[in-house]
Amino acid sequence: MSESGFSTRAIHAGQRPDPGNGSVAPAIWATSTYAQDGVGGLRSGYEYSRSANPTRTALEECLAALEGGAHGFAFASGLAAEDTLLRTIGRPGAHVVIPDDAYGGTYRLFAKVHEPWGLRYTPAPLDDLAAVAAAIVPGETTAVWVETPTNPLLGVADIAAVAELAHAAGALLIVDNTFASPYLQQPLGLGADVVVHSTTKYCGGHSDVIGGALVTDDDALAERLRYFQNAIGGVAGPFDAWLVLRGLRTLAVRMERHCDNAERVAAYLVDHARVAEVFYPGLDSHPGHTVAKAQMRRFGGMVSFRVAAGEQAAVDLCGRTEVFTLGESLGGVESLIEHPGRMTHASVAGTALEVPADLVRLSVGIEDADDLIADLDRALA
């Protein structure tokens, strides 16, 4: 299966037909506990669903296969995955380099949850290798945390180059691959040690589930992650695991349509008089375009832009669209629009990670592109 194409793995990895009844769709194993053949005699390795559940196992196997990794772990949310990872690799006094435009929830986890327990962090522009090197504290930095593309400014980091810097300092490279999805980018093959996903987004793909994931090739790290996953308990339930697994089956075809539509939307916005700046890695003018072209299959479904008339105009614009739904999150089949400064990134206001007040972020869905452009045209008018 590891040598198969992406869509073949998405449909078959961890999802073999049921040996009893031949069902081609994985079952939802809605059970908390399992009968044992005597004390300590487990049937097929399952004893309690916090530790392992067959539906979750299927999802974890599929995620690992799609990322080209050996070990997958599914969680109740992306932040539950991040928190478990930080508790696994962190310690009081440890240091992590993070993006200077990280997702607001990730920043909040570092600043409000882990920093009071002694974990230190330094924001750095991860597209600037000199700045990354300067932010690393030899002997203290345990990880460099990368988002690429970043949320919401769509910055692009050279994963292989940052991996070299991290590993030279004895640190792990962690890559949040949520915006790209496993279809567009596979960080483990570029030198990352751990891949993070909010599976709520493109992996699930239908705005109907909350989930998170970690994938690694490191056997020793995987053992620790498995222990902490069970000990902390923020695991994906069987219904949620099943929904994400169903979403993965169509990930490739959905991502192609997301990319098609985002490219058209970005090209439209670039030429609009009321748009001051467009952030999309697929544009030749994007500073990370060359790197993105080298390490991504395509450029993704996320587009951000600054409104020339300022903050209030950006806020008003978000309320005028009809096809784009005003809402947080991203990666679903429907198009979403939001104002990061007042919504998803409100937690970074007043910090070095504060986003522009006139910024609008689009999650471009799989509707007809002409309708999306017409909707934006009305809202910008």
Side-chain angles (χ1 to χ4, degrees), residues 68-141:
H71 310 279
F73 303 89
F75 295 86
S77 69
L79 284 171
E82 293 185 4
D83 183 52
T84 301
L85 177 58
L86 286 175
R87 294 176 190 274
T88 304
I89 67 168
R91 63 182 186 276
H95 176 260
V96 180
V97 178
I98 67 171
D100 67 350
D101 61 338
Y103 164 54
T106 298
Y107 170 78
R108 184 176 58 229
L109 182 65
F110 274 92
K112 304 300 183 182
V113 178
H114 285 272
E115 187 178 25
W117 288 96
L119 183 67
R120 296 177 296 126
Y121 64 93
T122 299
L126 297 184
D127 57 353
D128 182 341
L129 294 177
V132 175
I136 292 173
V137 182
E140 298 181 20
T141 299

Side-chain angles (χ1 to χ4, degrees), residues 63 78 104 133 250 311 332 338:
L63 286 166
T250 60
E311 179 179 7
E338 66 124 357

Side-chain angles (χ1 to χ4, degrees), residues 9 23 37 72 90 96 136 227 244 250 269 274 276 294 335 355 362:
R9 283 176 281 146
S23 171
D37 296 325
V96 180
I136 292 173
Y227 179 86
V244 175
T250 60
L269 291 170
R274 293 198 169 104
S335 293
V355 300
L362 304 176

Side-chain angles (χ1 to χ4, degrees), residues 121-210:
Y121 64 93
T122 299
L126 297 184
D127 57 353
D128 182 341
L129 294 177
V132 175
I136 292 173
V137 182
E140 298 181 20
T141 299
T142 59
V144 178
W145 190 290
V146 170
E147 291 178 18
T148 184
T150 59
N151 180 5
L153 294 175
L154 297 163
V156 174
D158 185 329
I159 295 172
V162 178
E164 287 188 15
L165 291 176
H167 294 159
L172 298 173
L173 179 68
I174 298 163
V175 177
D176 184 335
N177 203 28
T178 298
F179 267 31
S181 85
Y183 179 68
L184 298 181
Q185 182 172 265
Q186 299 193 329
L188 294 178
L190 297 169
D193 299 287
V194 186
V195 174
V196 178
H197 280 284
S198 169
T199 56
T200 306
K201 313 304 194 295
Y202 287 110
C203 291
H206 294 78
S207 301
D208 57 7
V209 63
I210 300 292

Side-chain angles (χ1 to χ4, degrees), residues 27-31 49 53 55-56 236-243:
I28 302 174
W29 293 100
T31 185
S49 276
N53 172 281
T55 312
R56 195 171 88 227
F239 289 88
D240 292 341
W242 187 87
L243 283 170

